[in-house]
Amino acid sequence: MAAAVVTLARPRARFDSTALVGALAGVLAGLLVVVACALGSGSLGADRLAVIGARTGPLAVFAPTLLGLSGLTVGLVLGLLRRPDTARRLTHPPPRRRP
């Protein structure tokens, strides 16, 4: 989503900037997931449900990593598809040479 906002705001944005924005947005979303799970986890009693909830340690590693990598991938693909040269080549192909 963040890479789409960057490409719509700056149509000539390079693919590396859209990839970086996508990765940073993914890491930020992962950290928000960790904070939400840390606030929401806890025991629900004293017996069987005492240990229910997210494991904050592994979640703090995996959520930002996975969301950051997926944001990086989407930003890279979106940046490569929205390149001005690619759009120009698709709409105005070069004329064919006749032998």
Side-chain angles (χ1 to χ4, degrees):
M1 188 70 169
V5 169
V6 168
T7 55
L8 290 176
R10 296 178 40 207
R12 298 188 56 87
R14 297 183 334 196
F15 68 92
D16 58 342
S17 63
T18 57
L20 181 65
V21 168
L24 291 176
V27 169
L28 182 65
L31 292 175
L32 288 175
V33 166
V34 170
V35 169
C37 287
L39 292 175
S41 67
S43 63
L44 294 175
D47 292 329
R48 291 187 299 183
L49 299 177
V51 293
I52 200 166
R55 295 180 183 151
T56 310
L59 185 67
V61 172
F62 288 116
T65 302
L66 290 177
L67 290 176
L69 286 174
S70 63
L72 175 85
T73 304
V74 170
L76 180 66
V77 168
L78 189 60
L80 288 174
L81 290 178
R82 296 271 307 186
R83 286 195 329 195
D85 295 335
T86 305
R88 192 174 342 125
R89 271 187 273 141
L90 291 175
T91 56
H92 302 299
R96 291 186 177 181
R97 293 185 187 181
R98 293 186 180 177

